[in-house]
Amino acid sequence: TATGDVTSNGVVQTNNNGMVTFEADDSVFINSNIIAGGTGDVLVTANADIATDANNTDGSTESITMAGGTSIDGGSGSITLTNDDDDGLGNEDNGGDITAQTLTTTASAGTGITVNSDDDALLEGTVTTGGANIDIDADANILTTGTINSNGGNVDLLVGNDVTINNAITTAGGAVDIDAVRDVTSNAAGDITTTGDAADEAGGPVDIDSGRHVNLAGDIDTRGNAADGLGGNVTIDSVDGDITVSAIDASGAGVGAGGNIFLNANDADN
């Protein structure tokens, strides 16, 4: 059975609020940069044929793959990469991975970057907004290799298996919410920093929930900003496993109250 892929081998660009939309019945391969100007959004959809191919009968992987070194510049609009194949009617098959490189938008409100994968979400480049939220959702695993910087927006990681953080997450006052059915792990470079970037701004809260283990080699920093910013709360829960953390600093600045720190291993508070 023939597949229906979209492949871009040269720069794809528009301006003055123009949109860029890729839709494929099967997979999307991005081998060069995508540039949208103004408020024009970028929407990349694989597995767009779910209504007619609910059981993946064509045998395709239905993935989105950005080649190494490529980027998507959404201007001040949103960027969405999705191969989630739930059509709302109960039809769902097994899509492929989303492999993202550099994703950038200057959007300062709402959701600026969305990655919604039916399998793994592999963030190999930097992910940056100008204050808008960043939502990463994967049915299997999330692996971050590049930095994530929301500049005041919230960062949400929701996953059906494991979250692995191999580089810094910085929100400048935004919240970080991580939910994993299995494990949450970070290496030494995987610091989570939510300290605000404005005078007296509170640090954003950090909330991590795992079905099994939490093992963080990276630090968590939710300190308030000078002169009197409040520290952000840090909450880490595991339902059936251990919690291992590195440094956590939720101090307030000046007379600003420090944030609360709550670690609850193996659902001990229930």
Side-chain angles (χ1 to χ4, degrees), residues 2 12 33 40-41 94-96 103 116 132 135 144 147-148 173 202 204 208 227 237 239 246 249:
V12 175
N33 296 342
D41 301 328
N94 296 315
L103 307 175
N116 188 0
D135 290 342
T144 72
T147 60
I148 297 175
I208 300 174
D237 288 290
V239 174
S246 189
D249 192 343

Side-chain angles (χ1 to χ4, degrees), residues 176-179 184 192 206-210 214 216 220 235-238:
V176 173
D177 190 357
I178 302 173
D179 289 284
V184 177
I192 299 173
V206 172
D207 192 342
I208 300 174
D209 293 285
S210 75
V214 177
L216 304 180
I220 296 177
T235 304
I236 302 176
D237 288 290
S238 72

Side-chain angles (χ1 to χ4, degrees), residues 3 5 22 29 42 47 50 52 62 88 91 100 109 114 121 131 189 213 219-220 262:
T3 60
D5 298 334
F22 289 2
F29 301 95
V42 177
N47 195 26
I50 176 59
T52 58
E62 299 171 335
N91 297 319
T114 300
H213 306 298
D219 299 338
I220 296 177
F262 179 56

Side-chain angles (χ1 to χ4, degrees), residues 47-225:
N47 195 26
D49 63 346
I50 176 59
T52 58
D53 187 30
N55 296 310
N56 195 14
T57 56
D58 60 17
S60 59
T61 58
E62 299 171 335
S63 60
I64 298 174
T65 304
M66 295 178 65
T70 61
S71 65
I72 297 178
D73 183 346
S76 59
S78 65
I79 298 171
T80 301
L81 309 180
T82 181
N83 66 350
D84 186 5
D85 52 16
D86 187 351
D87 66 352
L89 301 175
N91 297 319
E92 187 168 1
D93 63 22
N94 296 315
D97 299 338
I98 295 180
T99 303
Q101 304 299 324
T102 298
L103 307 175
T104 304
T105 173
T106 61
S108 58
T111 300
I113 294 176
T114 300
V115 177
N116 188 0
S117 175
D118 201 51
D119 203 343
D120 293 343
L122 310 173
L123 307 181
E124 298 183 350
T126 60
V127 178
T128 307
T129 71
N133 299 332
I134 298 172
D135 290 342
I136 314 297
D137 186 345
D139 284 1
N141 305 297
I142 294 174
L143 172 63
T144 72
T145 305
T147 60
I148 297 175
N149 192 334
S150 66
N151 288 294
N154 300 328
V155 174
D156 291 335
L157 308 180
L158 175 64
V159 66
N161 289 333
D162 303 325
V163 173
T164 303
I165 302 167
N166 288 333
N167 215 322
I169 298 175
T170 306
T171 68
V176 173
D177 190 357
I178 302 173
D179 289 284
V181 172
R182 298 196 312 195
D183 301 334
V184 177
T185 305
S186 70
N187 67 9
D191 295 336
I192 299 173
T193 303
T194 66
T195 298
D197 60 355
D200 298 331
E201 185 175 2
V206 172
D207 192 342
I208 300 174
D209 293 285
S210 75
R212 296 195 312 193
H213 306 298
V214 177
N215 191 348
L216 304 180
D219 299 338
I220 296 177
D221 184 351
T222 66
R223 288 176 294 171
N225 200 10

Side-chain angles (χ1 to χ4, degrees), residues 30-44:
I30 300 170
N31 297 321
S32 193
N33 296 342
I34 296 175
I35 304 169
T39 60
D41 301 328
V42 177
L43 173 61
V44 179

